Amino acid sequence: MTPSLPIGCVIAVLGAESTGKTELAHALAQRLNDRGIATTLVGEYLREWCDREGRTPRPDEQAAIGDEQTRRIDDAASRSVVVTDTTAVMTAVYSDMLFDDASLFASALAAQRRCAITLLTALDLPWVADGLQRDGPHVREPVDTRVRAALAGANLPYTVVHGRGAERIANAWNAINSVAERAGDEGRDGRNVRGGSSEARGRPTASTWTWPCEKCSDPACEHRLFTDLLAERAAPLPTPVSTSIPKAR
């Protein structure tokens, strides 16, 4: 099945290091082009920056890197469908985690809202060293947690892509088709999925997303469980009614 994706549709591939983002982004862009959908692959600007400078960026250089990633995505989206190997959200996550600077999230998440489809690569691939950009397998889970929290906190939908090799690509392809099909259904119903001009009808957006789960048949379970967990963590502790110390479970 080939999805119906209009010019300007951005498919963002996010994830922790060594989770197959680049390979998946290349494969999806190639398949879309092979199916007759003019698609531009936007690579990770951070990789280009590190190769050029021979080092990782300082805290004061993070914002410009995220902004350039966004600029390249927007430029490509003006003339084609886009598959992007990461977005400024990843820059914001690392800036927060490494430098205790959360100031980049606002602009990064605003830009992420322009992405019709967000794929998050799961942590089910082995970690592989890759020059300056890889910190080690121990950072993958904290990064993954921060990415999920940032997207959920901004009410931005995403789907987690599991599997290896062809299975991973197939799962991502199915997610793209799911969003495109629902967007098409809303367009045929006469609803404007962007809430703007009629030219936007049928375009996949956050409002058309389903939350596929790789573990069961309930399409809302992963999102619901994760957002419930966030709410539980944010809830105030109950006022104790007794001074006795409860037994350990």
Side-chain angles (χ1 to χ4, degrees):
M1 182 177 178
T2 301
S4 177
L5 303 175
I7 291 174
C9 176
V10 177
I11 301 168
V13 182
L14 307 182
E17 64 180 53
S18 196
T19 55
K21 295 188 301 296
T22 299
E23 182 179 354
L24 180 60
H26 277 262
L28 293 175
Q30 182 63 53
R31 180 174 291 192
L32 287 168
N33 278 306
D34 289 346
R35 299 291 181 92
I37 300 175
T39 303
T40 301
L41 175 66
V42 175
E44 183 180 18
Y45 176 64
L46 175 61
R47 179 180 296 275
E48 178 185 323
W49 192 98
C50 290
D51 288 344
R52 184 184 69 237
E53 301 295 328
R55 62 178 176 85
T56 55
R58 299 188 305 266
D60 60 294
E61 296 168 323
Q62 295 286 325
I65 290 171
D67 289 346
E68 177 61 15
Q69 185 74 38
T70 298
R71 187 198 68 77
R72 294 185 178 195
I73 294 169
D74 290 344
D75 178 65
S78 68
R79 57 182 180 275
S80 69
V81 170
V82 174
V83 176
T84 180
D85 175 11
T86 201
T87 70
V89 166
M90 296 308 305
T91 307
V93 165
Y94 279 105
S95 187
D96 181 32
M97 188 172 76
L98 299 177
F99 306 121
D100 195 27
D101 177 12
S103 66
L104 305 186
F105 277 114
S107 60
L109 292 169
Q112 192 70 30
R113 291 189 185 282
R114 299 196 290 274
C115 297
I117 302 170
T118 298
L119 305 175
L120 178 63
T121 48
L123 306 181
D124 55 350
L125 298 182
W127 184 86
V128 178
D130 185 19
L132 293 171
Q133 289 183 267
R134 299 281 168 87
D135 294 311
H138 62 285
V139 305
R140 299 205 300 175
E141 187 171 339
V143 168
D144 181 76
T145 299
R146 280 176 164 84
V147 173
R148 291 174 183 243
L151 295 174
N155 199 28
L156 289 171
Y158 63 93
T159 189
V160 182
V161 180
H162 291 254
R164 297 191 179 190
E167 180 188 10
R168 204 176 191 84
I169 297 169
N171 288 338
W173 189 254
N174 289 339
I176 293 169
N177 272 293
S178 175
V179 179
E181 183 178 3
R182 183 173 177 185
D185 290 342
E186 291 195 359
R188 285 188 291 273
D189 288 343
R191 284 174 283 169
N192 186 333
V193 299
R194 286 279 185 190
S197 69
S198 60
E199 294 177 359
R201 293 190 179 187
R203 181 179 300 176
T205 64
S207 66
T208 65
W209 187 264
T210 56
W211 295 81
C213 175
E214 75 287 354
K215 299 299 182 184
C216 71
S217 59
D218 181 356
C221 69
E222 181 166 358
H223 175 232
R224 186 177 63 247
L225 289 172
F226 185 67
T227 51
D228 286 351
L229 177 60
L230 289 178
E232 180 180 327
R233 289 179 176 177
L237 294 174
T239 303
V241 296
S242 172
T243 57
S244 62
I245 301 175
K247 295 180 179 180
R249 293 183 180 179

